[in-house]
Amino acid sequence: MDGLGRCYDDNTPQFTQRVEGTVSESYDYIIVGAGSAGCVLANRLTESGGHRVLLLEAGGRDRNPWIHIPIGFGKVMFDREVNWMFETEPEARLRNRNIKVPRGRVLGGSSSINGLIYIRGQREDFDDWRDMGNPGWGYADCLPYFRKAEDQSRGADEWHGTGGPLSVSDIKDRHPLADAFLAAGESVGITRNDDFNGARQEGLGYFQGTARRGLRCSAAVAYLHPAMKRPNLVVATHALATRVLTEGTRATGVEYRQDGALRRAFATREVLIAAGAIQSPQLMQLSGIGPGELLQQHGVPVVKALPGVGRNLHDHLQARFIWKCVEPVTVNDDLMSPWRKLGLGARFLLGRSGPLSWYAGVAGGFARTRPELKRPDVQFHFFPYSTDRTDPSLHPFSGFTMSVCKLRPESRGFVRIKSVDPLAAPAMQPNYLSTDHDRRMLIAGIRLARALAATRALSPYVKAEYRPGAIAQSDADLLEFAKNTGGTIFHPSGTCKMGDIAREPLAVVDRELRVHGLEGLRVVDCSVMPTLVSGNTNVPVVMIAEKAADLILHTAPR
Ligand SMILES: Cc1cc2nc3c(=O)[nH]c(=O)nc-3n(C[C@H](O)[C@H](O)[C@H](O)COP(=O)(O)OP(=O)(O)OC[C@H]3O[C@@H](n4cnc5c(N)ncnc54)[C@H](O)[C@@H]3O)c2cc1C
């Protein structure tokens, strides 16, 4: 059968029957979305062989070679075949620009198109989740799941695991500009850090990434591909879930579209929504689970009024500095010369090294914008190349980039359906920079980025500041720069937040990720984060799904 990772007729004849022109099937668990979280769930729930699982994915197989070559993220970021390419509503504080929000639409989801950077967040992020009414989610509770997921190329220690499905590797190369960036940090008191996921996060260093032998290790590669060999897992690709089916207060299955047909699948145990921070709330709202007023406005019968579904959207906004470089050492220079370009290909093919093997940012790190702060409040990504980011091409001059984002934003927005058409993108509005604190701290981060470039270590490489340019000096100028050019660093989260609904009326799921007021339905993905982690989001989502699998199978310590 077209579009299926595994053919129903070969594997599940007893589960397939036609009902009133639709196809209906029955499983123990149905997972919606084969992204970072969905792939983990599909693997863990089928591991024992005792459960039958259907995994629905709106996108296709992860066959595009640019998915697997790490630097290919710069290409798949613009490829509608594997990317939803959402846009925000006009962002009022960003000059009413519609900010582009890429999201994976392919096996592996966003982990198949992301920048591969392996960062977990700060210990306090998880302790905060716990203290917000989610016992069991403190750092000490989450660490075993980070370790369980991990296959750390440097070996195991107190913070790291080996033998897990997700390979974590260093970049093979060192780059003179990245070395200068790290030296710049030391000269302004930001120490070196070779492990952002160990004893302390603060400092600058080379990033580790989710890669195996120089190729991307997406959640699909790590978890799903091995599990697809199991007879108790059915993977349906190009299968868009359109509604969660319910009977009274119980979720009983999922309606989905595939190959032009409307199908229904039933879950004897649970439906697990893992469609990501934009589409999990969309699917819930389309299914009558969400803010009552919104549902009524669209004529969706209310199954369960939950005002928090789609609220609490927050994201990291980045400002990107670009400098013209004195020396022709950037990847821009490599691409401007046919011989050097050939060399890049050869380095990757022969040794899995060179720019094709790099993550989104070879180096970066975390810093405090004021010494009295208890923990880092900004994150840097450093790239020995530059681009306008409107397409995959690099600038036709020697250039390098440093991006800065303020961690733990206060600004909050929403995801709301605009129509009952499941193919129509919902409205999403993160409301970037809507608090004074967010604006002030971003300006402080931008000043720190500039201070790094002005050090004796990095300044010899600087020919000129290309963006924003020396003319931007005052706080107002720098804020203007962020408003005119700032964009997402791809971490939308929080739209089905975990919490105790007696304490937090906007909570959507409880601490076991069960939807409040409904049975047989959980949300497991980036949307359950009550607050965004201080870092990148892929690995925290993998951790959440690892823990969720234990909760679902009742193997977690309670
Ligand atoms: C360009 C980019 C760069 C990034 N860089 C990094 C990085 O370097 N490091 C890092 O840690 N994080 C990074 N991230 C963020 C990280 O990858 C995501 O936060 C994480 O993958 C989210 O996982 P998820 O399971 O919540 O959702 P996703 O991985 O997005 O999965 C959701 C899946 O559900 C599917 N789906 C949606 N709706 C339906 C439906 N109705 N029916 C069926 N299927 C559906 C989607 O197609 C998708 O496959 C990046 C993200 C992007 C987009």
Side-chain angles (χ1 to χ4, degrees), residues 453-475:
T455 57
R456 284 173 63 178
L458 202 47
S459 62
Y461 288 99
V462 175
K463 187 171 177 186
E465 189 180 285
Y466 174 74
R467 178 167 296 155
I471 196 160
Q473 289 300 334
S474 67
D475 281 2

Side-chain angles (χ1 to χ4, degrees), residues 430-485:
N431 285 324
Y432 296 112
L433 297 185
S434 56
T435 77
D436 185 48
H437 184 257
D438 284 356
R439 291 189 288 270
R440 278 189 292 110
M441 293 307 106
L442 184 61
I443 292 170
I446 289 174
R447 288 206 178 280
L448 192 49
R450 211 179 230 170
L452 288 169
T455 57
R456 284 173 63 178
L458 202 47
S459 62
Y461 288 99
V462 175
K463 187 171 177 186
E465 189 180 285
Y466 174 74
R467 178 167 296 155
I471 196 160
Q473 289 300 334
S474 67
D475 281 2
D477 295 338
L478 297 177
L479 185 60
E480 201 59 19
F481 159 58
K483 287 179 169 184
N484 285 327
T485 63

Side-chain angles (χ1 to χ4, degrees), residues 162 193 421 532:
T162 49
N193 187 350
D421 177 1
L532 183 47

Side-chain angles (χ1 to χ4, degrees), residues 408-531:
R408 301 182 295 284
E410 290 180 348
S411 303
R412 294 289 187 274
F414 59 82
V415 171
R416 281 184 205 144
I417 49 169
K418 285 202 237 186
S419 91
V420 291
D421 177 1
L423 287 170
M428 73 191 82
Q429 185 151 349
N431 285 324
Y432 296 112
L433 297 185
S434 56
T435 77
D436 185 48
H437 184 257
D438 284 356
R439 291 189 288 270
R440 278 189 292 110
M441 293 307 106
L442 184 61
I443 292 170
I446 289 174
R447 288 206 178 280
L448 192 49
R450 211 179 230 170
L452 288 169
T455 57
R456 284 173 63 178
L458 202 47
S459 62
Y461 288 99
V462 175
K463 187 171 177 186
E465 189 180 285
Y466 174 74
R467 178 167 296 155
I471 196 160
Q473 289 300 334
S474 67
D475 281 2
D477 295 338
L478 297 177
L479 185 60
E480 201 59 19
F481 159 58
K483 287 179 169 184
N484 285 327
T485 63
T488 176
I489 201 159
F490 319 119
H491 301 157
S493 302
T495 47
C496 298
K497 84 189 256 190
M498 168 170 59
D500 174 358
I501 201 157
R503 234 172 102 175
E504 169 48 65
L506 292 185
V508 172
V509 296
D510 69 9
R511 65 192 177 97
E512 299 207 4
L513 310 186
R514 296 171 297 208
V515 175
H516 286 296
L518 290 173
E519 291 149 55
L521 186 64
R522 295 189 211 229
V523 182
V524 183
D525 59 25
C526 222
S527 52
V528 302
M529 291 184 187
T531 50

